[in-house]
């Protein structure tokens, strides 16, 4: 879903000048409930800091254009498989920590809740073996993110297959 942010007004001209040279890699729709859909936009990892500067304004504009769908920006990251004795490692280099499954899933979680910051995480293992991650967000971001918590949970479950619950702490 390619969306144009071109329209009249000073705020949009400022936004369109900030968007010049930026692009996204892909977009997908994630169904949250029967009546709610979120749009996940994948951006190149090197451009993530530039997107963070304008993300608040850009999300508001896109949510207006997309008639109330939640918009989430995630950096496109690559997971490299764990090297084994029999796997062929053509590069002969050690796998970087940022390419491990755990690191990529933690980074997705950080991108998902941006501009809120994660204060802490707890992993709860139930008796049947299922795991649930409790993520503690800072209380100051509650105004901006409270309506999107179910969106965050559904998108994270779709991308990683892990259950997550969000809470606010003082």
């Amino acid at each position: 879903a390619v969306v144009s942010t071109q329209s009249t007004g000073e705020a949009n001209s400022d936004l369109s000048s900030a968007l010049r040279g930026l692009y996204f890699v892909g977009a997908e729709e994630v169904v949250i409930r029967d009546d709610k859909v979120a749009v996940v936009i994948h951006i190149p990892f090197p451009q993530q800091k530039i997107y963070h500067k304008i993300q608040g304004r850009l999300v508001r504009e896109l949510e207006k254009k997309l008639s109330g769908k939640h918009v989430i920006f995630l950096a496109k990251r690559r997971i490299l498989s764990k090297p084994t004795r029999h796997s062929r490692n053509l590069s002969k280099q050690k796998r970087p920590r940022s390419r491990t499954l755990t690191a990529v899933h933690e980074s997705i979680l950080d991108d998902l809740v941006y501009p809120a910051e994660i204060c802490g995480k707890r992993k709860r293992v139930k008796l049947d073996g299922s795991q649930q991650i409790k993520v503690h967000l800072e209380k100051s971001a509650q105004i901006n993110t409270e309506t999107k918590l179910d969106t965050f949970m559904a998108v994270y479950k779709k991308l990683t297959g892990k259950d997550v619950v969000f809470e606010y702490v003082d």
Side-chain angles (χ1 to χ4, degrees):
V2 178
V3 179
S4 172
T5 59
Q6 300 291 331
S7 63
T8 59
E10 289 181 15
N12 285 349
S13 66
D14 181 39
L15 189 62
S16 63
S17 66
L19 284 172
R20 202 171 317 283
L22 297 178
Y23 59 94
F24 61 91
V25 180
E28 62 181 308
E29 287 188 343
V30 177
V31 177
I32 296 146
R33 292 186 308 262
D34 294 335
D35 60 335
K36 196 71 175 163
V37 176
V39 177
V40 179
I41 300 173
H42 296 282
I43 58 174
F45 178 73
Q47 293 182 355
Q48 184 181 22
K49 287 186 179 177
I50 301 167
Y51 270 102
H52 279 322
K53 292 178 185 174
I54 59 170
Q55 186 166 341
R57 291 182 291 160
L58 189 58
V59 165
R60 277 192 300 275
E61 288 294 322
L62 288 175
E63 284 178 353
K64 276 193 265 182
K65 293 247 188 230
L66 295 172
S67 67
K69 293 180 183 178
H70 288 156
V71 176
I72 297 171
F73 287 95
L74 293 178
K76 189 73 172 171
R77 291 185 169 83
R78 181 176 305 273
I79 299 172
L80 296 178
S81 61
K82 189 174 183 178
T84 61
R85 199 178 312 165
H86 301 292
S87 66
R88 296 194 56 193
N89 190 359
L90 298 176
S91 64
K92 300 294 181 197
Q93 291 180 344
K94 192 174 188 314
R95 175 177 66 156
R97 167 88 172 95
S98 62
R99 306 292 194 287
T100 62
L101 180 91
T102 306
V104 170
H105 284 188
E106 287 178 6
S107 300
I108 287 173
L109 195 57
D110 288 336
D111 290 351
L112 203 59
V113 300
Y114 187 84
E117 287 193 26
I118 296 174
C119 297
K121 293 180 199 161
R122 304 284 183 270
K123 185 180 274 191
R124 181 178 179 196
V125 181
K126 297 180 183 174
L127 287 173
D128 63 349
S130 62
Q131 296 180 354
Q132 184 181 45
I133 303 169
K134 284 189 176 183
V135 177
H136 302 289
L137 301 174
E138 60 185 14
K139 190 83 167 170
S140 62
Q142 185 172 0
I143 300 165
N144 297 333
T145 59
E146 195 167 28
T147 58
K148 295 185 176 185
L149 290 184
D150 54 344
T151 304
F152 295 159
M153 292 190 311
V155 169
Y156 193 73
K157 175 75 173 176
K158 168 108 170 42
L159 293 175
T160 65
K162 296 179 181 177
D163 290 320
V164 68
V165 174
F166 294 96
E167 297 175 347
Y168 294 102
V169 293
D170 295 332

